[in-house]
Amino acid sequence: MPVPFPRPPRLRIPLRALVAAVLAGAFCAQAVAALRPHVPLLITATALSLAVEGVLYRWQRGMLSVFAKSHMDITVRHVVRDLLLVVGLLLLGGQDRESAYAPLVAGLLAFYALHCMIQAVSVLVRRTRTLPVVTRNIDASALRLSPAPPVLLRRPGHRLLAYGLPATAGLLATVATADRRWAALGIALSLGLAVLGLCDLLLRLLPSRRPASEQQALDWLDRWLAEYRPTVGLYFSGGTSSAYQANMWLEPIAELEGRPLIVLRERFMVHKLAATDVPIICLPKVSTLMRLEQSTLQVLIHPSNSGKTSQVLRIPTIKHTFVNHGESDKLSSCNPYAKAYDEVWVAGPAARERYALAEVGVEDKDVVEIGRPQLDAVRPYAGPPTGMYTTVLYAPTWEGWDGNPGNTSVIEAGENLVRALLADPGVRLLYKPHPLTGSVDPRAGAADLRIRELVRAANRERSGVRPADDGELARITAELDRLTTSVARSGADQLERMGVQSAPEEGHAEAVARAAQAWDEAYWAALPEWEHQVVTDARPALYSCFNRADLLISDVSSVISDFLASEKPYAVANTSGLSEDGFRKAFPTVRAATVLTPDASGVAELLAAVRDPGKDELAEARAELKRYLLGPAEPTSQERFNMAVQALCSAAQQHRERMAERLATEIPVPRREDVPAPQ
């Protein structure tokens, strides 16, 4: 499987500087050629500047904001470019040049005026298409959802380049031939395109073509909530790279009793979430969010903390519980913010003790052990490897926000560990870095790239039989994509996607589950058993890698706790600076692990213990630690999760009833009109 190799960051700055220098040079050359005037140079410089504009919008979009901040956005650049052409034409013309070119200049000014009008109307259309609620898996056709305007009408830069190109080309042709008809034709074409675009947008503002108003959308939301009658919801707010924190809870939420719901706060997150049939509503505004208070929603489950979490905690009719998106020994697993929730749900006794020792204000009575419902898909240990290769999964975590060197092994130990593993001819390595690796510390990102190159180099030195490509993986991939991806146009906006991502068909969730399982089997079957892999895509998932691995090497993170569900051997890299004894005492998840030093000493002995159960001295410790971290095997985690939800829903309902009784007794009786008021 080819491994993507992103362009190193150090190459981006010189490339951007080169593009900016070429564009600046083209404008300077155009100015000189217009003032002299010099026809060949004027044509060449103008064509070059247009070509650079195309490069900017195709490959260097990040530079567009830099130019905009410097007050040199596309409108300014385009006006300057056409103005220099007009100046060149005036200097090249005869004595009647002013009067001869006046209509052309007037037409050019009219085009730019239309461009500004299109932009203003485009903003109005966008506002009418921005509803206070975004949905997915819900039939929202009552909101009069309609296709989005063409992309050119919504993006001023692209529109100006496309619509203004005929005018600029016509001016260039007139410069080359001295025939004013070319300029007139080009400007007329640009004017015609602008008029058509403006008419298209104006028609969308007609009452019969507009989507529902804000109040109509809110009324629809209230009606839908009253009809669906949700009981439990997953609440999530986060950045663009944090969707995985919610995705891991989608399946457990879908299997709950009652009527589940997913509540989001960021519009972009609606399409970041993985495939699910659970109804999704996104409520960006606090005022809209507060409408949940009048709904039947009783419990909200929070897999992460965010700045917007405090807003939903203000709803008194809903009980809130924190489940986190992973179980680990890190201090972030005992965030003091957790005391703001009604309950904190953890996997097992270890997390309960962790909160007690952290003394962050979470009382023991509010801690509920539910296990990890996601881990039902992790297969149990079935013995040592039986094939030619021992599959080792190296899944380090990221560097974190606090700069602790013990957070990730990638920087200090990653390359040493990978070299030691690749040196064993009987090892097949699966390298799965954390999605946020390198997002804080550039050293982690650089080490990650070097590790990937080590894997590539090792694969180049290996050879063997590759499975025949019978097209099964491609067929199943297409089927899975069809089931999990909405068929929306590339230029569709959120309103149009709401219509496409309507209520799922009956049995859709079961079909997705079958296709996902079939894809997983086909994916691994299509790979040579001798080939190392770098796994960075959404598929295969981490738990799928668990099931293929004979050994895990990781850091102190939730990956260890989850892998323990299999009771397979695992190792932890110690880059904390602590002694091995101190490391084991500080982090309970390491108790049943082989501790590896940054120089990777001990890898050979670790592999020997994996291959020979007689040398595995930690099997019983892993079984005991599993119960300590994840709780008992029976009842299942999903069953315990459901029981916790039902208990908290009952508590929420009882709270509502008590509040209703209290309000009924505290409201004063209206004064009768026939009783005179006291003097």
Side-chain angles (χ1 to χ4, degrees):
M1 181 179 63
V3 178
F5 187 75
R7 184 170 66 245
R10 61 180 178 273
L11 296 180
R12 296 174 184 170
I13 295 179
L15 182 59
R16 291 182 176 183
L18 177 62
V19 172
V22 171
L23 185 61
F27 273 110
C28 291
Q30 189 185 12
V32 171
L35 295 174
R36 288 193 55 173
H38 190 280
V39 173
L41 181 59
L42 183 59
I43 295 175
T44 302
T46 304
L48 179 60
S49 68
L50 285 172
V52 175
E53 293 286 1
V55 171
L56 285 174
Y57 277 89
R58 180 63 179 86
W59 293 290
Q60 294 291 326
R61 294 183 181 179
M63 291 190 63
L64 297 176
S65 61
V66 177
F67 282 117
K69 293 177 182 178
S70 304
H71 302 288
M72 281 293 294
D73 60 7
I74 179 61
T75 302
V76 174
R77 297 195 301 272
H78 212 282
V79 169
V80 170
R81 186 182 298 112
D82 287 349
L83 177 62
L84 290 174
L85 287 175
V86 171
V87 170
L89 286 173
L90 291 175
L91 294 178
L92 286 168
Q95 295 181 352
D96 61 341
R97 55 185 178 272
E98 289 86 355
S99 58
Y101 286 110
L104 298 180
V105 174
L108 199 60
L109 292 176
F111 166 73
Y112 282 107
L114 283 173
H115 167 71
C116 294
M117 292 176 62
I118 292 175
Q119 182 59 21
V121 178
S122 176
V123 171
L124 290 176
V125 171
R126 185 177 70 246
R127 289 179 178 177
T128 63
R129 297 181 62 83
T130 303
L131 300 180
V133 57
V134 183
T135 67
R136 183 174 141 192
N137 301 332
I138 298 174
D139 182 5
S141 57
L143 298 177
R144 300 195 298 275
L145 309 179
S146 59
V151 174
L152 282 179
L153 297 180
R154 291 148 47 196
R155 298 178 181 176
H158 294 76
R159 180 177 65 246
L160 188 57
L161 280 177
Y163 287 5
L165 184 60
T168 304
L171 291 172
L172 275 175
T174 299
V175 169
T177 63
D179 188 345
R180 292 190 296 271
R181 290 177 296 179
W182 289 111
L185 177 61
I187 293 173
L189 287 174
S190 292
L191 283 171
L193 291 173
V195 169
L196 290 176
L198 181 60
C199 291
D200 182 284
L201 291 174
L202 288 173
L203 288 174
R204 295 175 184 272
L205 292 177
L206 295 175
S208 59
R209 300 279 302 275
R210 296 174 63 169
S213 65
E214 180 174 353
Q215 187 57 50
Q216 290 172 332
L218 293 176
D219 293 340
W220 171 88
L221 174 63
D222 292 338
R223 290 193 300 271
W224 182 84
L225 288 171
E227 180 181 350
Y228 181 67
R229 299 187 62 80
T231 55
V232 57
L234 180 75
Y235 177 91
F236 187 73
S237 173
T240 55
S241 59
S242 62
Y244 73 95
Q245 299 174 358
N247 285 337
M248 66 173 58
W249 285 98
L250 295 182
E251 187 173 346
I253 289 292
E255 295 181 4
L256 287 174
E257 296 179 10
R259 293 181 175 272
L261 175 68
I262 297 173
V263 180
L264 304 177
R265 301 300 309 281
E266 290 80 21
R267 295 176 183 271
F268 65 82
M269 191 61 70
V270 175
H271 313 293
K272 288 283 185 180
L273 289 190
T276 180
D277 283 359
V278 178
I280 299 173
I281 58 173
C282 176
L283 309 174
K285 295 182 179 179
V286 179
S287 58
T288 309
L289 180 70
M290 291 299 110
R291 304 181 89 87
L292 294 177
E293 183 175 356
Q294 307 303 324
S295 72
T296 58
L297 191 63
Q298 298 169 337
V299 169
L300 278 178
I301 300 171
H302 300 256
S304 68
N305 296 311
S306 72
K308 295 180 180 179
T309 301
S310 61
Q311 297 170 350
V312 74
L313 292 179
R314 295 162 51 189
I315 301 179
T317 58
I318 299 176
K319 292 289 185 180
H320 302 268
T321 181
F322 181 61
V323 294
N324 212 339
H325 52 275
E327 288 274 353
S328 76
D329 292 327
K330 293 181 180 179
L331 292 178
S332 59
S333 294
C334 294
N335 194 312
Y337 197 96
K339 62 187 175 185
Y341 301 94
D342 295 288
E343 291 184 355
V344 175
W345 294 355
V346 298
R352 179 186 294 275
E353 295 179 11
R354 191 182 306 128
Y355 272 106
L357 293 174
E359 298 183 358
V360 293
V362 176
E363 298 185 21
D364 186 71
K365 66 179 180 62
D366 296 328
V367 178
V368 180
E369 299 175 24
I370 64 168
R372 289 276 287 167
Q374 301 88 346
L375 302 183
D376 291 345
V378 177
R379 300 173 191 163
Y381 177 64
T386 56
M388 293 180 57
Y389 296 96
T390 300
T391 301
V392 181
L393 172 62
Y394 177 41
T397 188
W398 67 303
E399 57 271 24
W401 299 108
D402 56 7
N404 190 325
N407 285 342
T408 180
S409 59
V410 168
I411 298 175
E412 296 186 13
E415 293 172 80
N416 294 332
L417 290 171
V418 170
R419 286 194 182 95
L421 292 169
L422 296 177
D424 189 315
V427 165
R428 181 203 192 189
L429 176 64
L430 306 180
Y431 173 55
K432 187 172 178 60
H434 193 283
L436 297 180
T437 298
S439 60
V440 173
D441 191 337
R443 296 179 301 164
D448 171 54
L449 293 178
R450 292 194 296 270
I451 291 173
R452 298 187 190 201
E453 183 55 37
L454 287 174
V455 175
R456 292 191 193 90
N459 278 334
R460 288 193 293 268
E461 296 177 1
R462 281 191 171 186
S463 62
V465 179
R466 304 188 71 90
D469 185 5
D470 57 0
E472 181 67 8
L473 179 59
R475 184 191 67 78
I476 298 177
T477 301
E479 175 66 11
L480 186 57
D481 289 342
R482 183 188 67 81
L483 291 171
T484 58
T485 306
S486 60
V487 186
R489 297 183 305 114
S490 59
D493 60 2
Q494 288 182 337
L495 194 76
E496 183 176 344
R497 289 194 183 97
M498 285 172 60
V500 175
Q501 298 176 329
S502 187
E505 298 178 356
E506 187 72 22
H508 179 262
E510 293 77 8
V512 170
R514 289 192 300 269
Q517 182 178 0
W519 184 93
D520 198 66
E521 295 174 358
Y523 172 81
W524 294 109
L527 299 176
E529 62 176 357
W530 50 265
E531 188 177 58
H532 308 294
Q533 303 296 329
V534 177
V535 183
T536 56
D537 294 334
R539 297 194 296 254
L542 177 63
Y543 297 158
S544 176
C545 296
F546 282 179
N547 292 333
R548 295 288 166 173
D550 301 301
L551 167 68
L552 168 72
I553 299 178
S554 187
D555 305 320
V556 176
S557 70
S558 61
V559 173
I560 295 176
S561 304
D562 289 353
F563 189 77
L564 268 168
S566 69
E567 297 188 25
K568 295 178 183 178
Y570 71 102
V572 182
N574 180 12
T575 57
S576 65
L578 298 172
S579 64
E580 180 174 333
D581 290 340
F583 190 55
R584 291 184 184 276
K585 291 178 181 179
F587 304 106
T589 52
V590 186
R591 292 178 186 174
T594 298
V595 177
L596 299 176
T597 56
D599 62 0
S601 60
V603 168
E605 293 79 3
L606 172 63
L607 293 173
V610 173
R611 291 161 178 161
D612 183 1
K615 298 179 181 180
D616 184 4
E617 301 177 353
L618 296 170
E620 293 184 3
R622 290 195 299 272
E624 180 181 351
L625 184 58
K626 173 188 174 181
R627 290 189 294 271
Y628 178 60
L629 293 176
L630 303 176
E634 294 295 337
T636 66
S637 293
Q638 183 65 40
E639 291 172 338
R640 283 184 281 160
F641 181 43
N642 187 70
M643 288 188 292
V645 168
Q646 299 308 316
L648 197 55
C649 282
S650 178
Q653 185 61 33
Q654 293 172 12
H655 175 263
R656 291 189 180 193
E657 292 173 357
R658 290 195 301 270
M659 291 300 100
E661 292 177 1
R662 183 176 302 173
L663 290 174
T665 58
E666 291 180 354
I667 296 178
V669 179
R671 181 165 53 90
R672 292 173 54 186
E673 295 182 358
D674 56 346
V675 177
Q679 298 296 324

